[in-house]
């Protein structure tokens, strides 16, 4: 650690927040305590952990982590002077470059086997005149041999050593190549399997797409058929309307939310006096049912089984209002349900809600239907 720290010579005074708590110098390869976030040198922290499992600062469990990004940035901005400043190196060095510069500094003192020593920048100049680096060509192998080794030079041994080195490198390369080839084969096999999987997925998507197209075609044809039937019904209704008046009994009240296919508000028929059963329901195509909703513009009727009655809540009282917005009252005996046509004697639970103003009644069995259940629980029949 000391051999490394000698290269970190700060140019300016360093904040104590960036120094190691153990050695008190700038934190090298900094780490911090997970609890108190105090900085330490990596090597100082490892040496301390071998002795104690307790943080020197907060005395908690000594576990370290990488410092915060802002701390790392502050450390990276610190500048240091070169150890060879006295020899002439004046370059300011950032913290992350200190050790690399120490190896490459041209003012670093180097020594030659001949006894010469001097800055690294003059080493090559010295080697040109030094006998330690002078060479002579061998007449047999034609290699340039240093003079200090020329007397002991043996071509056979040199070639043998070179051959052994080449052989060793060959086997290393062969082993590395075999491993690489095996790895490539495994990778290719994996990619092939993934490609097959993708092909199967694409095939499945194409099949689903074809099925959806077929369903869309069937649905389009169904819509065309229904549109044709609707036109026929409208024409038939219009013909019936031309034959006589639309209504002869009662009056109409607009609903609050029900609309026909042409966005006309469907109207509720008050007091039809039996005429509602002479009409034909547009949806179920039946007669002798209570057709209490109609669209005078499109000239069609809908029974209460196909279009549920529009029961609402009285905004001022906790009570139920009939489709014509009249308050309904509870009635047990003598009730005939306008929705299902049952009388009190035919009901499992006799009674229900009755509106005398518009000749409308609904039994408890119909009120228990999921269509009305939630609404009626909020505004129970009184």
């Amino acid at each position: 650690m000391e051999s490394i720290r000698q290269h970190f010579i700060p140019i300016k005074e360093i904040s104590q927040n960036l120094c190691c708590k153990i050695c008190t110098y700038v934190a090298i390869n900094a780490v911090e305590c997970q609890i108190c976030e105090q900085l330490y040198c990596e090597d100082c922290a490892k040496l301390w952990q071998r002795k104690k499992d307790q943080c020197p600062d907060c005395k908690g469990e000594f576990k370290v982590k990488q410092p915060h990004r802002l701390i790392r940035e502050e450390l990276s901005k610190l500048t240091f002077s070169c150890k060879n400043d006295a020899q002439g190196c004046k370059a300011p060095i950032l913290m992350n470059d200190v050790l690399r510069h120490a190896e490459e500094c041209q003012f670093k003192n180097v020594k030659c086997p001949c006894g010469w020593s001097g800055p690294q920048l003059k080493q090559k100049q010295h080697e040109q005149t030094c006998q330690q680096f002078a060479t002579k060509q061998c007449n047999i192998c034609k290699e340039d041999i240093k003079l200090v080794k020329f007397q002991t030079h043996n071509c056979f041994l040199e070639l043998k050593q070179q051959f052994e080195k080449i052989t060793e490198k060959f086997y290393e390369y062969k082993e590395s190549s075999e491993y690489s080839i095996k790895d490539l084969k495994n990778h290719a096999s994996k990619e092939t399997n993934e490609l097959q999987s993708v092909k199967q997925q694409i095939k499945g998507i194409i099949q689903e797409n074809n099925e959806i197209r077929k369903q869309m075609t069937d649905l389009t044809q169904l819509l065309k058929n229904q549109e044709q039937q609707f036109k026929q019904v409208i024409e038939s209704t219009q013909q019936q309307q031309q034959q006589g008046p639309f209504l002869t009994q009662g009056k109409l009240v607009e609903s609050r939310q029900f609309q026909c296919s042409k966005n006309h508000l469907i109207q509720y028929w008050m007091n039809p006096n039996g005429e509602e059963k002479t009409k034909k329901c547009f949806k179920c195509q039946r007669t002798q049912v209570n057709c209490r909703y109609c669209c005078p513009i499109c000239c069609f009727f809908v029974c209460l089984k196909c279009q549920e009655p529009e029961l609402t809540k009285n905004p001022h009282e906790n009570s139920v209002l009939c489709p014509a917005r009249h308050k309904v009252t509870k009635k047990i005996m003598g009730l005939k349900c306008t929705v299902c046509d049952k009388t009190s004697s035919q009901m499992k639970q006799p009674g229900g809600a009755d509106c005398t103003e518009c000749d409308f009644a609904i039994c408890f069995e119909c009120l228990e239907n999921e269509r009305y259940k939630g609404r009626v629980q909020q505004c129970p029949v009184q």
Side-chain angles (χ1 to χ4, degrees), residues 229-247 252 260-262 264-267 269 279-283 285 291 293-302:
Q229 292 176 3
F230 178 76
K231 287 181 179 180
Q232 292 175 358
V233 171
I234 293 297
E235 290 175 358
S236 175
T237 306
Q238 289 177 345
Q239 290 176 0
Q240 292 177 4
Q241 179 65 20
Q242 292 173 358
Q243 295 175 0
F246 186 77
L247 295 178
L252 298 176
C260 70
S261 60
K262 293 186 179 180
H264 304 139
L265 280 174
I266 296 179
Q267 299 189 10
W269 192 1
K279 307 298 181 182
K280 186 177 182 181
C281 177
F282 166 71
K283 291 188 177 180
Q285 297 294 303
C291 295
Y293 280 99
C294 63
C295 179
I297 300 174
C298 299
C299 300
F300 67 81
F301 295 83
V302 182

Side-chain angles (χ1 to χ4, degrees), residues 79-225:
T79 54
F80 300 84
S81 59
C82 180
K83 182 183 177 183
N84 303 308
D85 180 74
Q87 284 72 34
C89 183
K90 303 297 182 181
I93 313 162
L94 293 174
M95 187 171 190
N96 294 337
D97 300 329
V98 169
L99 296 179
R100 180 181 58 80
H101 177 81
E103 291 294 325
E104 300 175 356
C105 181
Q106 294 299 303
F107 293 91
K108 181 176 69 172
N109 190 58
V110 292
K111 293 182 179 181
C112 180
C114 71
W116 175 88
S117 65
Q120 188 168 253
L121 60 86
K122 295 183 178 181
Q123 184 178 13
K124 288 187 179 181
Q125 182 181 353
H126 168 74
E127 290 175 355
Q128 292 176 358
T129 59
C130 180
Q131 292 297 314
Q132 292 289 331
F133 295 92
T135 60
K136 183 178 179 180
Q137 191 179 65
C138 176
N139 294 327
I140 300 173
C141 64
K142 304 301 180 183
E143 289 287 332
D144 291 329
I145 311 300
K146 289 184 179 181
L147 289 178
V148 293
K149 295 183 179 181
F150 193 82
Q151 297 297 328
T152 59
H153 172 64
N154 186 316
C155 293
F156 176 76
L157 290 176
E158 292 284 346
L159 290 172
K160 183 179 179 182
Q161 289 175 1
Q162 291 183 15
F163 177 77
E164 288 175 351
K165 289 181 180 179
I166 292 172
T167 303
E168 184 179 354
K169 288 183 179 180
F170 170 76
Y171 282 110
E172 288 178 358
Y173 175 76
K174 181 181 178 182
E175 183 179 355
S176 175
S177 299
E178 288 177 351
Y179 177 80
S180 299
I181 291 171
K182 184 178 179 180
D183 187 49
L184 287 172
K185 285 182 177 179
N186 292 336
H187 186 66
S189 177
K190 183 180 179 180
E191 287 189 343
T192 302
N193 293 336
E194 290 179 353
L195 182 61
Q196 291 295 331
S197 176
V198 171
K199 286 182 178 180
Q200 290 294 331
Q201 291 177 5
I202 292 174
K203 186 177 179 180
I205 291 172
I206 291 173
Q207 290 178 350
E208 290 180 2
N209 191 30
N210 291 336
E211 290 177 0
I212 291 172
R213 285 183 178 179
K214 184 178 182 302
Q215 291 175 1
M216 289 295 293
T217 302
D218 295 343
L219 182 60
T220 302
Q221 186 61 41
L222 179 62
L223 289 173
K224 287 182 179 179
N225 294 340

